[in-house]
PDB file of all heavy atoms in Angstrom:
ATOM      1  N   SER A   1       5.603  -1.569  21.894  1.00 55.00           N
ATOM      2  CA  SER A   1       5.811  -0.585  22.961  1.00 55.00           C
ATOM      3  C   SER A   1       4.572  -0.660  24.038  1.00 55.00           C
ATOM      4  O   SER A   1       3.926   0.413  24.319  1.00 55.00           O
ATOM      5  CB  SER A   1       5.851   0.922  22.412  1.00 55.00           C
ATOM      6  OG  SER A   1       6.809   0.989  21.518  1.00 55.00           O
ATOM      7  N   GLY A   2       4.504  -1.888  24.505  1.00 61.00           N
ATOM      8  CA  GLY A   2       3.520  -2.004  25.610  1.00 61.00           C
ATOM      9  C   GLY A   2       2.101  -1.833  25.171  1.00 61.00           C
ATOM     10  O   GLY A   2       1.244  -1.376  25.968  1.00 61.00           O
ATOM     11  N   GLY A   3       1.727  -2.159  23.951  1.00 70.00           N
ATOM     12  CA  GLY A   3       0.442  -1.951  23.457  1.00 70.00           C
ATOM     13  C   GLY A   3       0.041  -0.623  22.984  1.00 70.00           C
ATOM     14  O   GLY A   3      -1.047  -0.254  22.576  1.00 70.00           O
ATOM     15  N   GLN A   4       0.993   0.324  22.937  1.00 81.00           N
ATOM     16  CA  GLN A   4       0.796   1.716  22.444  1.00 81.00           C
ATOM     17  C   GLN A   4       0.863   1.845  20.962  1.00 81.00           C
ATOM     18  O   GLN A   4       0.553   2.945  20.486  1.00 81.00           O
ATOM     19  CB  GLN A   4       1.724   2.668  23.156  1.00 81.00           C
ATOM     20  CG  GLN A   4       1.547   2.674  24.679  1.00 81.00           C
ATOM     21  CD  GLN A   4       0.173   3.078  25.165  1.00 81.00           C
ATOM     22  OE1 GLN A   4      -0.424   3.896  24.589  1.00 81.00           O
ATOM     23  NE2 GLN A   4      -0.296   2.370  26.174  1.00 81.00           N
ATOM     24  N   GLN A   5       1.455   0.866  20.351  1.00 85.00           N
ATOM     25  CA  GLN A   5       1.511   0.947  18.813  1.00 85.00           C
ATOM     26  C   GLN A   5       0.884  -0.310  18.186  1.00 85.00           C
ATOM     27  O   GLN A   5       0.852  -1.355  18.762  1.00 85.00           O
ATOM     28  CB  GLN A   5       2.972   1.028  18.331  1.00 85.00           C
ATOM     29  CG  GLN A   5       3.743   2.287  18.659  1.00 85.00           C
ATOM     30  CD  GLN A   5       5.134   2.313  18.015  1.00 85.00           C
ATOM     31  OE1 GLN A   5       5.364   1.546  17.084  1.00 85.00           O
ATOM     32  NE2 GLN A   5       5.840   3.256  18.462  1.00 85.00           N
ATOM     33  N   LEU A   6       0.296  -0.090  16.991  1.00 87.00           N
ATOM     34  CA  LEU A   6      -0.355  -1.135  16.276  1.00 87.00           C
ATOM     35  C   LEU A   6       0.263  -1.242  14.892  1.00 87.00           C
ATOM     36  O   LEU A   6       0.592  -0.230  14.216  1.00 87.00           O
ATOM     37  CB  LEU A   6      -1.888  -0.712  16.178  1.00 87.00           C
ATOM     38  CG  LEU A   6      -2.720  -1.669  15.327  1.00 87.00           C
ATOM     39  CD1 LEU A   6      -2.774  -3.021  15.985  1.00 87.00           C
ATOM     40  CD2 LEU A   6      -4.212  -1.133  15.071  1.00 87.00           C
ATOM     41  N   VAL A   7       0.501  -2.443  14.408  1.00 90.00           N
ATOM     42  CA  VAL A   7       1.115  -2.727  13.094  1.00 90.00           C
ATOM     43  C   VAL A   7      -0.001  -3.247  12.110  1.00 90.00           C
ATOM     44  O   VAL A   7      -0.597  -4.201  12.548  1.00 90.00           O
ATOM     45  CB  VAL A   7       2.273  -3.695  13.203  1.00 90.00           C
ATOM     46  CG1 VAL A   7       2.859  -3.904  11.839  1.00 90.00           C
ATOM     47  CG2 VAL A   7       3.322  -3.225  14.114  1.00 90.00           C
ATOM     48  N   LEU A   8      -0.230  -2.553  11.032  1.00 91.00           N
ATOM     49  CA  LEU A   8      -1.258  -2.979  10.068  1.00 91.00           C
ATOM     50  C   LEU A   8      -0.457  -3.238   8.753  1.00 91.00           C
ATOM     51  O   LEU A   8       0.473  -2.571   8.371  1.00 91.00           O
ATOM     52  CB  LEU A   8      -2.290  -1.879   9.788  1.00 91.00           C
ATOM     53  CG  LEU A   8      -3.093  -1.572  11.019  1.00 91.00           C
ATOM     54  CD1 LEU A   8      -4.137  -0.469  10.588  1.00 91.00           C
ATOM     55  CD2 LEU A   8      -3.940  -2.722  11.410  1.00 91.00           C
ATOM     56  N   GLN A   9      -0.871  -4.371   8.077  1.00 92.00           N
ATOM     57  CA  GLN A   9      -0.333  -4.681   6.828  1.00 92.00           C
ATOM     58  C   GLN A   9      -1.409  -4.716   5.749  1.00 92.00           C
ATOM     59  O   GLN A   9      -2.478  -5.499   5.980  1.00 92.00           O
ATOM     60  CB  GLN A   9       0.346  -6.012   6.876  1.00 92.00           C
ATOM     61  CG  GLN A   9       1.673  -5.912   7.682  1.00 92.00           C
ATOM     62  CD  GLN A   9       2.486  -7.188   7.638  1.00 92.00           C
ATOM     63  OE1 GLN A   9       1.992  -8.247   7.204  1.00 92.00           O
ATOM     64  NE2 GLN A   9       3.711  -7.069   8.106  1.00 92.00           N
ATOM     65  N   GLY A  10      -1.328  -4.083   4.619  1.00 93.00           N
ATOM     66  CA  GLY A  10      -2.393  -4.069   3.682  1.00 93.00           C
ATOM     67  C   GLY A  10      -1.817  -3.993   2.266  1.00 93.00           C
ATOM     68  O   GLY A  10      -0.676  -4.102   2.007  1.00 93.00           O
ATOM     69  N   ALA A  11      -2.767  -3.773   1.249  1.00 95.00           N
ATOM     70  CA  ALA A  11      -2.318  -3.734  -0.140  1.00 95.00           C
ATOM     71  C   ALA A  11      -3.290  -2.742  -0.858  1.00 95.00           C
ATOM     72  O   ALA A  11      -4.254  -2.335  -0.289  1.00 95.00           O
ATOM     73  CB  ALA A  11      -2.289  -5.125  -0.773  1.00 95.00           C
ATOM     74  N   GLY A  12      -2.886  -2.402  -2.138  1.00 94.00           N
ATOM     75  CA  GLY A  12      -3.673  -1.483  -2.880  1.00 94.00           C
ATOM     76  C   GLY A  12      -3.155  -1.488  -4.383  1.00 94.00           C
ATOM     77  O   GLY A  12      -2.241  -2.075  -4.713  1.00 94.00           O
ATOM     78  N   ASN A  13      -3.640  -0.509  -5.068  1.00 93.00           N
ATOM     79  CA  ASN A  13      -3.211  -0.356  -6.500  1.00 93.00           C
ATOM     80  C   ASN A  13      -3.423   1.079  -6.890  1.00 93.00           C
ATOM     81  O   ASN A  13      -4.233   1.850  -6.264  1.00 93.00           O
ATOM     82  CB  ASN A  13      -3.854  -1.295  -7.415  1.00 93.00           C
ATOM     83  CG  ASN A  13      -5.335  -1.124  -7.327  1.00 93.00           C
ATOM     84  OD1 ASN A  13      -5.956  -0.155  -7.993  1.00 93.00           O
ATOM     85  ND2 ASN A  13      -6.078  -2.036  -6.710  1.00 93.00           N
ATOM     86  N   TRP A  14      -2.834   1.460  -7.895  1.00 89.00           N
ATOM     87  CA  TRP A  14      -3.078   2.821  -8.598  1.00 89.00           C
ATOM     88  C   TRP A  14      -2.715   2.705 -10.095  1.00 89.00           C
ATOM     89  O   TRP A  14      -2.054   1.786 -10.529  1.00 89.00           O
ATOM     90  CB  TRP A  14      -2.168   3.909  -7.876  1.00 89.00           C
ATOM     91  CG  TRP A  14      -0.713   3.807  -7.868  1.00 89.00           C
ATOM     92  CD1 TRP A  14       0.042   2.865  -7.100  1.00 89.00           C
ATOM     93  CD2 TRP A  14       0.266   4.474  -8.698  1.00 89.00           C
ATOM     94  NE1 TRP A  14       1.426   3.025  -7.394  1.00 89.00           N
ATOM     95  CE2 TRP A  14       1.517   3.912  -8.259  1.00 89.00           C
ATOM     96  CE3 TRP A  14       0.185   5.450  -9.582  1.00 89.00           C
ATOM     97  CZ2 TRP A  14       2.684   4.421  -8.908  1.00 89.00           C
ATOM     98  CZ3 TRP A  14       1.271   5.903 -10.216  1.00 89.00           C
ATOM     99  CH2 TRP A  14       2.608   5.432  -9.810  1.00 89.00           C
ATOM    100  N   ARG A  15      -3.081   3.703 -10.832  1.00 86.00           N
ATOM    101  CA  ARG A  15      -2.883   3.622 -12.321  1.00 86.00           C
ATOM    102  C   ARG A  15      -2.018   4.806 -12.691  1.00 86.00           C
ATOM    103  O   ARG A  15      -2.131   6.001 -12.282  1.00 86.00           O
ATOM    104  CB  ARG A  15      -4.244   3.759 -12.974  1.00 86.00           C
ATOM    105  CG  ARG A  15      -4.159   3.760 -14.510  1.00 86.00           C
ATOM    106  CD  ARG A  15      -5.554   3.666 -15.106  1.00 86.00           C
ATOM    107  NE  ARG A  15      -6.189   2.467 -14.802  1.00 86.00           N
ATOM    108  CZ  ARG A  15      -5.914   1.267 -15.525  1.00 86.00           C
ATOM    109  NH1 ARG A  15      -5.152   1.313 -16.605  1.00 86.00           N
ATOM    110  NH2 ARG A  15      -6.673   0.131 -15.212  1.00 86.00           N
ATOM    111  N   ASP A  16      -1.085   4.521 -13.612  1.00 81.00           N
ATOM    112  CA  ASP A  16      -0.268   5.620 -14.198  1.00 81.00           C
ATOM    113  C   ASP A  16      -0.419   5.491 -15.688  1.00 81.00           C
ATOM    114  O   ASP A  16      -1.291   4.787 -16.205  1.00 81.00           O
ATOM    115  CB  ASP A  16       1.244   5.463 -13.744  1.00 81.00           C
ATOM    116  CG  ASP A  16       1.889   4.114 -14.293  1.00 81.00           C
ATOM    117  OD1 ASP A  16       1.170   3.390 -15.020  1.00 81.00           O
ATOM    118  OD2 ASP A  16       2.993   3.913 -13.944  1.00 81.00           O
ATOM    119  N   ASP A  17       0.473   6.228 -16.429  1.00 79.00           N
ATOM    120  CA  ASP A  17       0.318   6.293 -17.901  1.00 79.00           C
ATOM    121  C   ASP A  17       0.482   4.934 -18.550  1.00 79.00           C
ATOM    122  O   ASP A  17       0.111   4.689 -19.637  1.00 79.00           O
ATOM    123  CB  ASP A  17       1.354   7.271 -18.408  1.00 79.00           C
ATOM    124  CG  ASP A  17       0.979   8.749 -17.948  1.00 79.00           C
ATOM    125  OD1 ASP A  17      -0.120   8.965 -17.623  1.00 79.00           O
ATOM    126  OD2 ASP A  17       1.870   9.500 -18.062  1.00 79.00           O
ATOM    127  N   LEU A  18       1.227   4.007 -17.897  1.00 77.00           N
ATOM    128  CA  LEU A  18       1.521   2.753 -18.432  1.00 77.00           C
ATOM    129  C   LEU A  18       0.577   1.593 -18.092  1.00 77.00           C
ATOM    130  O   LEU A  18       0.642   0.517 -18.502  1.00 77.00           O
ATOM    131  CB  LEU A  18       3.027   2.299 -18.103  1.00 77.00           C
ATOM    132  CG  LEU A  18       4.049   3.189 -18.618  1.00 77.00           C
ATOM    133  CD1 LEU A  18       5.422   2.774 -18.119  1.00 77.00           C
ATOM    134  CD2 LEU A  18       4.090   3.322 -20.103  1.00 77.00           C
ATOM    135  N   GLY A  19      -0.374   1.956 -17.099  1.00 84.00           N
ATOM    136  CA  GLY A  19      -1.267   0.939 -16.839  1.00 84.00           C
ATOM    137  C   GLY A  19      -1.443   0.877 -15.211  1.00 84.00           C
ATOM    138  O   GLY A  19      -1.041   1.676 -14.525  1.00 84.00           O
ATOM    139  N   GLN A  20      -1.936  -0.384 -14.778  1.00 88.00           N
ATOM    140  CA  GLN A  20      -2.207  -0.537 -13.420  1.00 88.00           C
ATOM    141  C   GLN A  20      -0.956  -0.952 -12.584  1.00 88.00           C
ATOM    142  O   GLN A  20      -0.166  -1.791 -13.133  1.00 88.00           O
ATOM    143  CB  GLN A  20      -3.283  -1.736 -13.251  1.00 88.00           C
ATOM    144  CG  GLN A  20      -3.893  -1.825 -11.911  1.00 88.00           C
ATOM    145  CD  GLN A  20      -5.020  -0.839 -11.694  1.00 88.00           C
ATOM    146  OE1 GLN A  20      -5.349  -0.127 -12.608  1.00 88.00           O
ATOM    147  NE2 GLN A  20      -5.690  -0.774 -10.509  1.00 88.00           N
ATOM    148  N   ARG A  21      -0.747  -0.459 -11.350  1.00 90.00           N
ATOM    149  CA  ARG A  21       0.350  -0.772 -10.565  1.00 90.00           C
ATOM    150  C   ARG A  21      -0.202  -1.241  -9.293  1.00 90.00           C
ATOM    151  O   ARG A  21      -1.294  -0.787  -8.826  1.00 90.00           O
ATOM    152  CB  ARG A  21       1.269   0.452 -10.389  1.00 90.00           C
ATOM    153  CG  ARG A  21       1.813   0.926 -11.718  1.00 90.00           C
ATOM    154  CD  ARG A  21       2.765   2.158 -11.412  1.00 90.00           C
ATOM    155  NE  ARG A  21       3.929   1.722 -10.739  1.00 90.00           N
ATOM    156  CZ  ARG A  21       5.077   1.205 -11.254  1.00 90.00           C
ATOM    157  NH1 ARG A  21       5.157   1.217 -12.562  1.00 90.00           N
ATOM    158  NH2 ARG A  21       6.166   0.963 -10.580  1.00 90.00           N
ATOM    159  N   SER A  22       0.535  -2.051  -8.560  1.00 93.00           N
ATOM    160  CA  SER A  22       0.136  -2.653  -7.236  1.00 93.00           C
ATOM    161  C   SER A  22       1.188  -2.391  -6.278  1.00 93.00           C
ATOM    162  O   SER A  22       2.374  -2.227  -6.536  1.00 93.00           O
ATOM    163  CB  SER A  22      -0.256  -4.116  -7.419  1.00 93.00           C
ATOM    164  OG  SER A  22       0.843  -4.818  -7.907  1.00 93.00           O
ATOM    165  N   PHE A  23       0.791  -2.508  -5.041  1.00 93.00           N
ATOM    166  CA  PHE A  23       1.715  -2.293  -3.822  1.00 93.00           C
ATOM    167  C   PHE A  23       1.170  -2.950  -2.591  1.00 93.00           C
ATOM    168  O   PHE A  23      -0.033  -3.281  -2.468  1.00 93.00           O
ATOM    169  CB  PHE A  23       1.953  -0.836  -3.508  1.00 93.00           C
ATOM    170  CG  PHE A  23       0.692  -0.080  -3.080  1.00 93.00           C
ATOM    171  CD1 PHE A  23       0.452   0.044  -1.680  1.00 93.00           C
ATOM    172  CD2 PHE A  23      -0.153   0.471  -3.943  1.00 93.00           C
ATOM    173  CE1 PHE A  23      -0.721   0.709  -1.214  1.00 93.00           C
ATOM    174  CE2 PHE A  23      -1.305   1.227  -3.483  1.00 93.00           C
ATOM    175  CZ  PHE A  23      -1.563   1.318  -2.176  1.00 93.00           C
ATOM    176  N   ASN A  24       1.994  -3.210  -1.621  1.00 93.00           N
ATOM    177  CA  ASN A  24       1.523  -3.559  -0.336  1.00 93.00           C
ATOM    178  C   ASN A  24       2.376  -2.720   0.660  1.00 93.00           C
ATOM    179  O   ASN A  24       3.404  -2.090   0.367  1.00 93.00           O
ATOM    180  CB  ASN A  24       1.802  -5.139  -0.010  1.00 93.00           C
ATOM    181  CG  ASN A  24       3.242  -5.553  -0.082  1.00 93.00           C
ATOM    182  OD1 ASN A  24       4.140  -4.807   0.186  1.00 93.00           O
ATOM    183  ND2 ASN A  24       3.415  -6.754  -0.569  1.00 93.00           N
ATOM    184  N   TYR A  25       1.956  -2.641   1.925  1.00 93.00           N
ATOM    185  CA  TYR A  25       2.490  -1.789   2.977  1.00 93.00           C
ATOM    186  C   TYR A  25       2.515  -2.411   4.261  1.00 93.00           C
ATOM    187  O   TYR A  25       1.623  -3.326   4.549  1.00 93.00           O
ATOM    188  CB  TYR A  25       1.887  -0.417   2.948  1.00 93.00           C
ATOM    189  CG  TYR A  25       0.464  -0.429   3.502  1.00 93.00           C
ATOM    190  CD1 TYR A  25       0.125  -0.367   4.910  1.00 93.00           C
ATOM    191  CD2 TYR A  25      -0.660  -0.556   2.646  1.00 93.00           C
ATOM    192  CE1 TYR A  25      -1.127  -0.525   5.318  1.00 93.00           C
ATOM    193  CE2 TYR A  25      -1.922  -0.632   3.121  1.00 93.00           C
ATOM    194  CZ  TYR A  25      -2.202  -0.464   4.383  1.00 93.00           C
ATOM    195  OH  TYR A  25      -3.508  -0.537   4.914  1.00 93.00           O
TER     196      TYR A  25
END
């Protein structure tokens, strides 16, 4: 949109009762 928006891509993790989970966005 003419430089008015920025796209970022990253990753992370979190823990639930069954163990470690991972994601990207």
Side-chain angles (χ1 to χ4, degrees):
S1 301
Q4 298 301 322
Q5 287 190 19
L6 177 64
V7 180
L8 295 178
Q9 292 184 345
N13 58 78
W14 59 284
R15 180 174 293 277
D16 65 5
D17 295 338
L18 299 178
Q20 196 79 3
R21 301 181 67 87
S22 57
F23 65 89
N24 60 33
Y25 67 86

